[in-house]
Amino acid sequence: MLFVFVLLGIAAVASAGNFYNDFDITWGDRRAQILNGGQLLTLSLDQQSGSGFVSKNEYLLGRIDMQIKLVGGNSAGTVTAYYLSSQGPTHDEIDFEFLGNLSGNPYILHTNVFTQGKGNREQQFYLWFDPTTAFHTYSLVWNAQRIIFLVDNIPIRVYNNLESIGVPFPNKQPMKIYSSLWNADDWATMGGRVKTDWTKAPFTASFRNFNADTCFRSPSGPLPCSSGNNKGLANGAWQDQSLDAAGRNRIRWVQKKFMVYNYCTDIKRFPQGLPPECKRSRFL
Ligand SMILES: *[C@@H]1O[C@H](CO)[C@@H](O)[C@H](O)[C@H]1NC(C)=O
């Protein structure tokens, strides 16, 4: 029995980074494509449909990296969503959503954390680079104490485990990784005032170098936590990762210079008082 588990574990680890092995196309027909022998995945959107994919495995805690190159040119109205989610009415979810814009205008990176079916924890950021001209790495470090959102290894957001004061934390429901490219021109760009220019379709976003250093379940059942992969990136460091002094400096820089919206400072929205996690977290 143990031997079988070890074999399965090795197979899963060795396959990290190949889209054929790790993901299924879920919708959009030919608009979603796995290319270059599994090294590249592209999603596209036209006036008829968007497209999307989902991971074959479920994950519960870990470090998950994906490189994404977003829709270039006039991407107004488009949204590229990349997120982890469990299923059901009390699902947990950890979101990155990239809101497109007119050429030369900045994307917004929208983030959220849902616990037990409830979100309302949005933080939005501009990026310090053009996310459409090259691939950049978007990561989640998700351990028992906190979730850290990283962009090119720079922390932009931390959601702490404050179960001790009654704030739910997503640590019980395994999640799959989802991504989709879709039309959201009713709200995405400048609050919905800028519409998708369909003469520019199809719109395309690209994904590569997926890496998961994590505990996960394959469709055939639970597997132990993996602490290795074929890229030499994994070392299990995510398990007790927090922000060190450099990380705290960087997140301060990001939140000062690039933060567009923070639910934790939106007093108008929470007239009864800000959510409890907002008072406790040093990095909101
Ligand atoms: C789009 O560009 C405008 C003008 O710079 C900016 O106000 C807005 O936040 C940008 N992003 C989105 C998604 O609307």
Side-chain angles (χ1 to χ4, degrees), residues 99-101 105-108 126 188-191:
L99 317 184
N101 216 333
N105 288 292
Y107 262 75
I108 285 178
Y126 290 136
T189 307
M190 296 181 68

Side-chain angles (χ1 to χ4, degrees), residues 115-174:
T115 53
Q116 300 178 5
K118 291 207 194 74
N120 298 325
R121 298 194 179 98
E122 300 87 355
Q123 291 186 354
Q124 298 184 332
F125 306 84
Y126 290 136
L127 296 164
W128 47 95
F129 52 84
D130 178 350
T132 73
T133 52
F135 283 91
H136 291 269
T137 306
Y138 303 92
S139 311
L140 290 170
V141 168
W142 175 27
N143 62 33
Q145 298 84 36
R146 63 191 65 80
I147 300 164
I148 310 173
F149 294 70
L150 302 117
V151 175
D152 289 338
N153 232 9
I154 295 176
I156 62 164
R157 172 173 189 175
V158 176
Y159 181 80
N160 287 308
N161 183 336
L162 293 170
E163 286 179 304
S164 60
I165 60 161
V167 181
F169 186 80
N171 52 11
K172 289 169 198 73
Q173 308 188 66

Side-chain angles (χ1 to χ4, degrees), residues 12 15 18-26 34 41 53-59 66 85 87 174-179 210 212 216-221 223:
S15 71
N18 185 305
F19 283 106
Y20 285 117
N21 296 326
D22 296 324
F23 294 95
D24 289 317
I25 305 291
T26 39
I34 298 176
L41 188 154
F53 64 87
V54 64
S55 64
K56 293 187 201 282
N57 292 319
E58 291 186 306
Y59 302 89
M66 182 76 88
S85 182
Q87 291 181 3
M175 304 200 210
K176 289 189 172 183
I177 302 168
Y178 295 82
S179 184
F210 166 70
F216 62 95
R217 299 174 183 218
S218 75
S220 54
L223 286 175

